[in-house]
Amino acid sequence: MKRILVIGSLNLDMVVNVDHTPVVGETILSDRMELIPGGKGANQACAAGRLGGHVTMLGAVGDDMYGEILMKSLGAAGVDMKGIVRKQEEPTGIALITVNRDGDNCIVVVSGANGALSCKDIDNHMDLLKEADIVLFQLEIPLETVCYGAREAKRLGKTVILDPAPVPKEFPKELYSYVDIIKPNETELQMLTGIGDVENHLAKACGYLKGQGVKNILVTLGGKGVYLDSEESGTCRIPAVLVEAVDTTAAGDSFTAALAVMLADGKGLREAAVFANYVSGIVVTRKGAQSSIPTLDEVRRFMGSGI
């Protein structure tokens, strides 16, 4: 199996469950708070590890107990952590998450050490880029670092996958030229393209991204499934997996990781996307970020076949 490198964020998620998402000026009560390892990059690495991928994490944590919790979780998932940098002057990143009774979440991220992951850190771990075949990025670390890492990965001939979240106010257009596969959700696709009502204009929105240089686009649409526009498969719809959602945290991260694992195992993009759809279908039925990610055996049982 090919090697996967995840370059991105590590956060400790502080999760509270609420009846409804509070509006401005409203105070509501929750009966508990949970500390769950998260961060979009770490979630992807954890998911790839649990699904049997050969995965290494390149990111940053502080020299504190939260960093230790994150490292322990990644180690238990089989992730190689030799690319994780300890930032003595910064705390580990934190995400404050509220989850309502419908399973929808709102997230505020305090970047901490993630914001200090630099281009120099990429240079210091260039051996990891050289060893990898597939490199995953998200946007919870500095955009300059993402662009530099993606440019170097592309220079080295790697497959670059981008989960463009959170979408910045000014998206660096140069990044598109380094990306082989981009995986926005419906809201992110609208933010990237400026096209409203993207569900009814998916071809147009994907055409915009292809015009920027991206070859393959996967749009996750929640209960409406997945839309694929690729060089290999053309355009197609992958139906949603029908489950009762409890918490959507890490569903997108797990989808991206599952996609990378299947591609690393030699599967085509459409087949990989179908598998990833089942993985995220399991994730939304469980609470938390990394605590919700299934193993490969669990996914196989869920699918009812032996991929």
Side-chain angles (χ1 to χ4, degrees):
M1 180 179 282
K2 294 179 179 178
R3 295 200 62 87
I4 299 167
L5 174 65
V6 178
I7 301 179
S9 59
L10 301 96
N11 292 318
L12 188 70
D13 293 348
M14 299 183 176
V15 183
V16 293
N17 289 278
V18 294
D19 178 72
H20 63 276
T21 303
V23 298
V24 175
E26 181 183 14
T27 298
I28 59 176
L29 299 178
S30 178
D31 58 0
R32 69 186 184 281
M33 180 180 74
E34 297 176 276
L35 300 180
I36 302 174
K40 297 190 72 64
N43 291 345
Q44 289 180 353
C46 181
R50 287 190 189 167
L51 294 170
H54 297 303
V55 58
T56 301
M57 179 81 209
L58 200 171
V61 296
D63 188 14
D64 51 36
M65 63 175 288
Y66 295 157
E68 293 294 339
I69 293 171
L70 290 167
M71 299 278 279
K72 183 177 180 180
S73 179
L74 289 177
V79 177
D80 188 330
M81 296 178 288
K82 61 189 174 187
I84 297 180
V85 182
R86 291 276 192 173
K87 297 289 184 180
Q88 302 293 328
E89 69 283 3
E90 297 286 348
T92 297
I94 292 172
L96 308 172
I97 304 174
T98 61
V99 182
N100 68 22
R101 64 176 178 269
D102 297 319
D104 296 319
N105 61 50
C106 291
I107 304 174
V108 176
V109 175
V110 181
S111 295
N114 295 309
L117 189 69
S118 66
C119 299
K120 183 177 180 181
D121 292 318
I122 301 290
D123 285 336
N124 290 341
H125 295 86
M126 193 58 67
D127 58 319
L128 300 183
L129 270 80
K130 292 177 180 177
E131 293 170 1
D133 300 286
I134 300 171
V135 186
L136 275 58
F137 293 91
Q138 335 73 43
L139 302 177
E140 288 183 333
I141 60 174
L143 288 175
E144 178 186 13
T145 306
V146 173
C147 288
Y148 181 73
R151 182 167 66 246
E152 289 301 295
K154 180 52 57 179
R155 179 181 65 81
L156 292 167
K158 312 304 180 181
T159 297
V160 176
I161 302 177
L162 174 66
D163 185 343
V167 177
K169 290 182 180 179
E170 296 294 332
F171 188 90
K173 294 293 182 67
E174 69 164 304
L175 184 54
Y176 287 124
S177 62
Y178 311 135
V179 173
D180 295 289
I181 303 169
I182 192 168
K183 190 220 69 69
N185 62 25
E186 191 172 354
T187 300
E188 291 155 0
L189 182 62
Q190 182 173 334
M191 294 173 70
L192 290 171
T193 64
I195 296 172
D197 189 21
V198 290
E199 185 187 349
N200 292 315
H201 298 90
L202 285 168
K204 180 180 179 181
C206 289
Y208 172 86
L209 294 182
K210 294 177 83 170
Q212 300 297 318
V214 182
K215 300 179 181 68
N216 304 286
I217 302 117
L218 281 156
V219 186
T220 51
L221 300 165
K224 297 176 289 252
V226 178
Y227 181 82
L228 170 63
D229 187 335
S230 76
E231 288 187 324
E232 172 191 296
S233 307
T235 60
C236 67
R237 282 263 197 171
I238 298 170
V241 178
L242 299 179
V243 296
E244 185 174 346
V246 173
D247 182 356
T248 58
T249 306
D253 304 327
S254 299
F255 183 101
T256 304
L259 187 79
V261 170
M262 288 294 102
L263 293 176
D265 197 37
K267 302 295 191 297
L269 188 55
R270 189 181 187 283
E271 185 178 359
V274 170
F275 176 83
N277 204 29
Y278 276 96
V279 171
S280 59
I282 293 175
V283 170
V284 300
T285 65
R286 302 171 176 178
K287 293 184 178 181
Q290 290 171 31
S291 57
S292 69
I293 297 170
T295 63
L296 180 58
D297 285 342
E298 288 178 305
V299 181
R300 285 173 170 166
R301 289 195 296 271
F302 185 56
M303 295 180 73
S305 63
I307 282 185

